[in-house]
Amino acid sequence: MVMVHEVPFPPQIITSKPLSLLGQGITDIEIHFLQVKFTAIGVYLDPSDVKTHLDKWKGKTGKDLAGDDDFFDALASGEIEKVIRVVVIKEIKGAQYGVQLENSVRDRLAAEDKYEEEEETELEKVVGFFQSKYFKTHSIITYRFSAKDGICEIGFETEGKEEEKLKVENANVVGMMQKWYLSGSRGVSPSTIVSLADSLSAVLT
């Protein structure tokens, strides 16, 4: 296992093929000079997909890529299978997490004039999925993004219970959910972006 801020992550996840842990980080906030960590994050990709879809950034340093929002937009929107695994460090109500996700996705869609009735309905479905849940420490939220059809399967598992799943099938909503975690300077976890940039720079070299 790979330790991400004392949280174990598998180095590889098997979906339709093996995906490798290529980015890791946390979401956190500083309160009165104390760092409070909320979640640990792992981003899983197939290195050969990265080479195929992001070849134009070959030879760039990790620092170059970390500051290049176009690169991360290409990663988020590319037809690449991705898994984002989020492990809870600090307990939180599912409703709070759902509202953060909803606000980010809605604002991003509205900024691109893509927030219509279908998107609103699908987003409400996602928020409803998290609404009744309590995110205990070590609970796991998994986003499995398919390569081509704009579908995401969200999984939630907490101690001793079977994983609950929700399929999200609106491509606009799915695209902005990816960007919540993967959109460079506008992503929710700067440490994950820096880690991904360094790994992907090495893959592309």
Side-chain angles (χ1 to χ4, degrees):
M1 299 295 262
V2 177
M3 300 306 285
V4 179
H5 292 264
E6 297 170 25
V7 178
F9 279 74
Q12 201 175 61
I13 284 178
I14 310 287
T15 53
S16 64
K17 57 184 174 181
L19 303 181
S20 303
L21 178 62
L22 292 182
Q24 57 196 58
I26 53 166
T27 56
D28 64 339
I29 191 170
E30 198 176 277
I31 302 173
H32 301 306
F33 307 108
L34 283 174
Q35 183 194 33
V36 179
K37 300 173 189 174
F38 291 108
T39 62
I41 299 162
V43 180
Y44 293 81
L45 302 159
D46 178 352
S48 60
D49 282 347
V50 172
K51 287 177 183 170
T52 303
H53 289 274
L54 300 169
D55 185 59
K56 108 181 214 197
W57 283 274
K58 188 175 180 178
K60 298 277 187 188
T61 66
K63 193 173 179 186
D64 289 338
L65 295 181
D68 188 343
D69 284 353
D70 288 343
F71 172 76
F72 280 97
D73 282 347
L75 172 64
S77 59
E79 292 185 340
I80 301 172
E81 193 174 351
K82 310 171 190 85
V83 170
I84 299 175
R85 181 182 171 95
V86 181
V87 181
V88 176
I89 296 173
K90 184 171 174 54
E91 295 189 1
I92 184 177
K93 288 179 180 165
Q96 288 172 275
Y97 178 87
V99 165
Q100 292 170 12
L101 172 65
E102 179 185 30
N103 288 343
S104 173
V105 170
R106 186 183 56 222
D107 290 352
R108 289 169 195 270
L109 286 169
E112 294 187 17
D113 213 13
K114 290 179 178 172
Y115 190 62
E116 305 291 340
E117 203 172 312
E118 295 89 341
E119 283 73 28
E120 185 178 4
T121 303
E122 195 77 352
L123 196 48
E124 280 173 2
K125 194 169 86 173
V126 176
V127 174
F129 176 73
F130 289 122
Q131 189 79 36
S132 60
K133 297 178 175 42
Y134 189 74
F135 289 13
K136 293 180 182 172
T137 302
H138 307 308
S139 300
I140 301 168
I141 306 116
T142 308
Y143 296 89
R144 302 175 184 92
F145 295 101
S146 63
K148 292 207 167 152
D149 45 16
I151 290 175
C152 173
E153 183 185 77
I154 304 174
F156 176 77
E157 49 190 308
T158 192
E159 55 182 44
K161 293 186 182 172
E162 265 189 49
E163 185 181 40
E164 294 179 56
K165 295 178 180 176
L166 174 75
K167 194 174 268 193
V168 186
E169 299 181 270
N170 179 294
N172 287 333
V173 170
V174 168
M176 294 308 176
M177 279 166 44
Q178 291 195 50
K179 288 188 175 182
W180 192 37
Y181 279 106
L182 298 177
S183 66
S185 66
R186 301 183 306 281
V188 73
S189 169
S191 56
T192 303
I193 294 301
V194 169
S195 166
L196 257 180
D198 287 340
S199 294
L200 298 183
S201 166
V203 168
L204 290 166
T205 298

